[in-house]
Amino acid sequence: NTVNGFVETWYDQSGNGKNATQLTASNQLKIVDAGALVTNAEGNPAIQGATGKSFGLSTITGLGDVSIFFVGAVPSSFQAITGWDTNLHMIRFSSSNWEFVANTTDPGNMDWNSTLTSGDTALFNFTRSSGTVTGYANSVASDTTSNANSNTFGLNRIFTRSNVNYNDYEGKASELIIYPSDQSANRAAIETNINNQYDIY
């Protein structure tokens, strides 16, 4: 079977109506590949990222403190998290072009204590509180933090880049949860619930 299937709408399960959409067929991400459902390393359904493929969002405005949980594959170029305009482009904030991305060289990015292997599914948490971003991968804390600017953000795209010199996210993604607040106190419980669903670590 050579039939492929693509995602036009990734539905917001919170009831807030912030669905991720891509109406241009050539820019849609794949969920069926040659007749088979796309799955991550653990066999869970996933959406396959690729260059030039992305979702747009009804802009979420006024994000100050925010916690983001992302279940997705580790790309081959992965070394660190939360840089500017670089490799693992999952989320783009519109007002200042600040992104949650992976970066191998820029100073101030997060280097992970946990061992991450290309292609493996990982659970990432990024929390921005009072302008400083902290992160966890598979519930293991980063050994550095990133000092973001203090502007509020508007979230308008995911899985895309804002600089043509760098790569879009090309991994397999299964879940994205965005809290418009600092969820540090609840992080461990949220990660446990997610891991119980996906059996990542």
Side-chain angles (χ1 to χ4, degrees), residues 10-16 19:
W10 194 7
Y11 289 99
D12 174 11
Q13 300 298 306
S14 71
N16 293 323
N19 300 326

Side-chain angles (χ1 to χ4, degrees), residues 5-41:
F6 300 88
V7 179
E8 179 178 304
T9 304
W10 194 7
Y11 289 99
D12 174 11
Q13 300 298 306
S14 71
N16 293 323
K18 298 296 184 181
N19 300 326
T21 59
Q22 178 53 263
L23 299 179
T24 304
S26 60
N27 293 337
Q28 291 171 355
L29 284 79
K30 189 180 293 185
I31 196 169
V32 174
D33 187 6
L37 182 69
V38 174
T39 57
N40 63 18

Side-chain angles (χ1 to χ4, degrees), residues 109-171:
N109 296 329
M110 294 183 187
D111 297 314
W112 299 106
N113 291 322
S114 58
T115 300
L116 300 176
T117 302
S118 175
D120 284 356
T121 306
L123 167 56
F124 299 102
N125 164 249
F126 312 94
T127 293
R128 179 177 183 269
S129 180
S130 301
T132 297
V133 177
T134 58
Y136 288 77
N138 295 339
S139 206
V140 177
S142 164
D143 62 6
T144 60
T145 59
S146 178
N147 292 316
N149 66 54
S150 58
N151 296 334
T152 57
F153 295 136
L155 182 62
N156 70 347
R157 294 191 291 175
I158 55 177
F159 303 137
T160 192
R161 61 189 174 190
S162 63
N163 185 317
V164 297
N165 296 317
Y166 300 103
N167 298 324
D168 296 323
Y169 178 64
E170 297 187 355

Side-chain angles (χ1 to χ4, degrees), residues 35-53:
L37 182 69
V38 174
T39 57
N40 63 18
E42 291 70 35
N44 297 300
I47 297 172
Q48 176 66 63
T51 298
K53 314 294 184 180

